[in-house]
Amino acid sequence: MSSLTVPGMARPHRWLRAHPVAADALLALAVYAIVLIGSFAGRGRAAHAPGPWFLLLCALACGALAARRRYPRTVLGVTSALALAEIVADRGGSPRTQIATAVFVALYTIASRTERAAAWRFAVATVAVLTCAAMLFGVPPWYSPENLGLFTWTALAGALGDAVRSRRAYVAAIEERAVRAERTREEEARRRVAEERLRIARELHDVVAHHIALVNVQAGVASHIMDSRPDQAKQALAHVREASRSALSELRATVGLLRQYGDPEAPTEPAPGLGVLGRLVDGFARVGLEVKVIGGPGEALPAAVDLAAYRVVQEALTNVHKHAGPGARAEVTLARGPDALAVTVLDDGGGDPPAPSPSPEGGHGLLGMRERVTALGGTCAAAPREDAQGFRVHATLPLRGRP
């Protein structure tokens, strides 16, 4: 039964919230009715009916409540002054303190809509003025229940308004925190998506750029010597087939990372690392790039550091092969310290000038290499060598970098 009446009860409530002036006018009429009923029903009032002076003051005090939201301080001052006027004017008889009901509503309004410090100042001042006036000019003796009741109801109005203000502030803070948390979750999700896209783009670039560069060179060699030296051309085509097979395998492994969990076709091979650096060097040796490796990683490296070091060497040697020209030599130095692994790749710049690239646009190899190293908390520098021709790539990878 109650569930059927709730929508009907909520409809007037929504209308009152949408029309605050009308709601305050209705509240003023209700307070006026309560004051009149209290003045007729009060003890000892049967032979002393309310006079026109009291009815006028009561009408003015309750009418002022219609503007309590727009001018709360003014309304509190007006209602307090009218209540004091009634108490002082009837000092010879029996003052009717029911008019202070309008003061209670005005004080509640200020306490519920003003900051705590200001609200309590108004509350203390109102309680002190009305209580002192009632004790001095009201019903004797000064500690009569009517005078103490005025003090109690005035203080209660201020405390109730402060409690409502605190509740509103608490609910608003919770709503703001929920909105902020939702916004933070969305931003975090977008950031993670962007980081994952960059990571996959780096992996695909490293795989494709390295192997396709080798395929391009070997295919060019085979095309050039196909008629004059068919045996060497067949050997070059065999290298093309091997490089393309390696490229497909690594592409399959990289794309497999995008599959959903539990897909039986997802690859299970480990990611490449410095453990297969010799295979990488052999691949470059087949296309005429002499590579010398100095040092080594020593003990087992963290998986992320091992993969990043391998990709740095792979990208640097690919750039040497593409830009230093035939006949160039490269040197790879791996130096492991207590807290970091240093990877340095040098080329002597002694090769013949490479053929002009059909695409003048630069790639993303160096950018991806820096992003990969920076993601682990390391540093990466790539620049021409100062003491000789050639290029130098140096990366420092902390062994306990940020995840």
Side-chain angles (χ1 to χ4, degrees):
M1 189 71 180
S2 60
S3 60
L4 298 177
T5 59
V6 168
M9 294 174 61
R11 207 170 291 119
H13 183 265
R14 288 197 298 267
W15 185 88
L16 292 175
R17 290 178 64 89
H19 302 82
V21 176
D24 290 342
L26 292 177
L27 177 63
L29 290 176
V31 173
Y32 185 67
I34 292 173
V35 172
L36 291 183
I37 293 173
S39 64
F40 279 102
R43 60 179 181 85
R45 304 292 192 223
H48 186 200
W53 168 255
F54 173 80
L55 295 178
L56 176 62
L57 293 181
C58 182
L60 293 176
C62 295
L65 295 179
R68 69 185 184 95
R69 303 196 199 195
R70 295 186 61 184
Y71 309 103
R73 299 183 181 183
T74 303
V75 170
L76 179 61
V78 170
T79 54
S80 299
L82 294 174
L84 287 174
E86 163 60 22
I87 294 174
V88 174
D90 285 347
R91 60 179 302 181
S94 182
R96 303 178 184 275
T97 55
Q98 292 87 354
I99 193 175
T101 305
V103 181
F104 304 157
V105 176
L107 183 58
Y108 164 83
T109 303
I110 283 190
S112 63
R113 296 177 176 272
T114 312
E115 61 178 4
R116 172 167 292 178
W120 278 110
R121 286 197 297 269
F122 281 104
V124 171
T126 304
V127 170
V129 170
L130 288 183
T131 303
C132 292
M135 290 180 176
L136 291 176
F137 305 104
V139 178
W142 64 269
Y143 51 86
S144 65
E146 189 170 355
N147 297 337
L148 295 179
L150 181 63
F151 167 81
T152 302
W153 282 104
T154 308
L156 182 61
L160 181 61
D162 181 74
V164 171
R165 182 199 57 79
S166 299
R167 176 65 180 175
R168 289 173 181 170
Y170 175 74
V171 172
I174 290 180
E175 293 176 352
E176 181 184 0
R177 191 156 49 244
V179 171
R180 191 185 306 115
E182 182 66 23
R183 189 183 304 116
T184 303
R185 282 194 296 269
E186 294 176 357
E187 293 175 354
E188 178 68 13
R190 287 194 294 266
R191 184 186 65 82
R192 288 182 179 273
V193 170
E195 289 181 353
E196 185 65 13
R197 291 177 61 185
L198 283 176
R199 187 186 67 80
I200 296 173
R202 286 196 298 266
E203 291 292 338
L204 291 176
H205 174 272
D206 291 342
V207 172
V208 173
H210 166 63
H211 291 290
I212 297 303
L214 298 183
V215 169
N216 182 44
V217 171
Q218 293 293 344
V221 171
S223 176
H224 182 67
I225 64 176
M226 179 66 72
D227 296 330
S228 60
R229 287 174 287 181
D231 294 338
Q232 294 186 10
K234 290 181 180 180
Q235 185 179 4
L237 291 177
H239 294 328
V240 168
R241 183 176 60 184
E242 182 179 352
S244 61
R245 185 185 298 114
S246 299
L248 288 175
S249 299
E250 292 198 33
L251 280 175
R252 189 179 298 110
T254 303
V255 175
L257 297 175
L258 301 178
R259 296 184 183 274
Q260 294 182 356
Y261 177 76
D263 194 329
E265 299 183 4
T268 58
E269 297 84 359
L274 295 180
V276 294
L277 182 60
R279 190 187 310 169
L280 178 67
V281 172
D282 292 340
F284 282 106
R286 296 191 190 100
V287 297
L289 177 61
E290 181 182 348
V291 181
K292 180 181 179 182
V293 180
I294 301 175
E299 300 177 357
L301 295 170
V305 175
D306 196 18
L307 175 61
Y310 177 85
R311 292 304 188 194
V312 168
V313 175
Q314 183 186 53
E315 179 63 29
L317 292 179
T318 302
N319 288 337
V320 172
H321 175 68
K322 290 167 57 178
H323 303 295
R329 292 186 299 273
E331 179 181 289
V332 178
T333 303
L334 302 175
R336 177 168 182 166
D339 299 321
L341 174 68
V343 180
T344 305
V345 180
L346 304 174
D347 72 88
D348 58 4
D352 299 329
S357 173
S359 177
E361 298 181 0
H364 301 279
L366 293 179
L367 176 61
M369 187 164 50
R370 291 192 183 97
E371 289 176 350
R372 186 187 295 276
V373 174
T374 303
L376 296 177
T379 59
C380 181
R385 299 172 62 181
E386 298 179 357
D387 55 346
Q389 295 181 349
F391 208 77
R392 177 180 184 270
V393 175
H394 179 76
T396 302
L397 298 168
L399 301 181
R400 296 179 179 84
R402 59 173 178 264

